[in-house]
């Protein structure tokens, strides 16, 4: 994916995107399709963004699209008490001044995302699927790498660059995401 921020390192681009958040806004981590990789990546990005934004007072929240209907996703949500961290998108309001960080999906123009939010330009994208047509602009962070098997892998790599040690919950969920999307590590 094109990097509109010149030769800045991955971590410098991520920090610049976090620094570009205006006071009084909320940073939303958005999940278009709930699956173990998206859940792990979202919880990991929540912790990374909370660390980067800790001195700004900017709240970081997670919203997901659709329903938690698949048995494995329901089990993950229940066992890890994720209903306290993740809200169904129809139960929240993302304001025009808020910022969105999209994980495990590369486009806001996704039928799973409510139409009223599809015109939002994401501040960040972390994905391992097909390349996006979006060009990263100054103050944005787009990390799309189709050579890795999960978005959770990319989030773990970001945390290593930030020097962040994940909580036990995030570590477990990221491991589940990597395990699931790599087909039980057979494709790794």
């Amino acid at each position: 994916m094109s990097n509109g921020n010149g030769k800045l390192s991955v971590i410098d681009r991520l920090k610049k995107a976090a620094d570009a958040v205006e006071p009084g806004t909320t940073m939303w981590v958005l999940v278009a399709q709930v699956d173990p990789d998206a859940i792990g990546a979202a919880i990991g990005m929540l912790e990374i963004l909370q660390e980067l934004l800790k001195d700004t007072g900017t709240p970081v929240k997670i919203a997901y699209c659709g329903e938690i209907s698949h048995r494995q996703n329901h089990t993950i949500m229940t066992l890890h008490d994720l209903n306290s961290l993740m809200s169904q998108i129809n139960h929240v309001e993302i304001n025009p001044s808020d910022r969105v960080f999209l994980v495990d999906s590369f486009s806001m123009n996704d039928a799973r995302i409510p139409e009223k939010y599809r015109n939002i330009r994401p501040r960040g994208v972390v994905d391992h699927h097909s390349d996006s047509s979006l060009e990263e602009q100054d103050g944005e962070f787009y990390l799309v790498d189709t050579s890795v098997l999960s978005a959770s892998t990319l989030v773990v790599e970001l945390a290593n660059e930030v020097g962040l040690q994940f909580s036990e919950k995030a570590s477990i969920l990221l491991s589940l995401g990597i395990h699931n999307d790599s087909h039980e590590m057979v494709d790794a």
Side-chain angles (χ1 to χ4, degrees):
M1 177 170 287
S2 175
N3 171 4
N5 287 319
K7 301 224 183 250
L8 292 177
S9 70
V10 169
I11 191 60
D12 288 337
R13 290 176 24 237
L14 178 59
K15 286 180 179 177
K16 189 171 184 177
D19 288 343
V21 175
E22 294 80 17
T25 62
T26 298
M27 177 68 83
W28 289 95
V29 177
L30 183 61
V31 175
Q33 176 178 320
V34 179
D35 64 25
D37 185 33
I39 293 170
I43 298 298
M45 281 310 304
L46 174 78
E47 291 191 7
I48 290 171
L49 291 168
Q50 285 175 330
E51 176 65 21
L52 293 175
L53 295 167
K54 68 182 175 190
D55 296 330
T56 69
T58 301
V60 183
K61 300 178 181 182
I62 301 173
Y64 64 88
C65 301
E67 300 296 326
I68 308 295
S69 55
H70 192 283
R71 185 177 296 166
Q72 73 178 356
N73 300 330
H74 182 71
T75 300
I76 290 169
M77 294 290 288
T78 302
L79 282 176
H80 297 284
D81 190 30
L82 297 182
N83 290 316
S84 64
L85 294 176
M86 298 175 66
S87 300
Q88 209 278 339
I89 198 163
N90 292 330
H91 298 140
V92 301
E93 187 64 35
I94 300 175
N95 297 311
S97 62
D98 289 345
R99 300 295 180 242
V100 171
F101 221 97
L102 192 59
V103 295
D104 201 23
S105 185
F106 61 85
S107 174
M108 292 294 288
N109 193 22
D110 183 317
R112 297 169 291 203
I113 297 173
E115 191 157 341
K116 68 181 181 177
Y117 297 129
R118 290 188 202 158
N119 291 335
I120 295 174
R121 184 174 177 89
R123 176 60 48 110
V125 175
V126 176
D127 193 23
H128 66 109
H129 296 108
S130 178
D131 204 356
S132 170
S133 60
L134 290 174
E135 296 284 328
E136 181 179 308
Q137 296 179 5
D138 195 38
E140 295 176 339
F141 178 78
Y142 293 170
L143 178 60
V144 177
D145 185 346
T146 58
S147 72
V148 298
L149 297 173
S150 70
S152 293
T153 299
L154 295 170
V155 171
V156 169
E157 291 172 357
L158 286 174
N160 287 337
E161 290 201 41
V162 171
L164 175 71
Q165 184 172 345
F166 286 117
S167 68
E168 181 178 356
K169 180 182 294 198
S171 297
I172 290 168
L173 294 169
L174 287 158
S175 296
L176 283 171
I178 293 168
H179 181 76
N180 187 76
D181 268 31
S182 66
H183 304 101
E184 300 176 354
M185 301 300 284
V186 171
D187 294 341

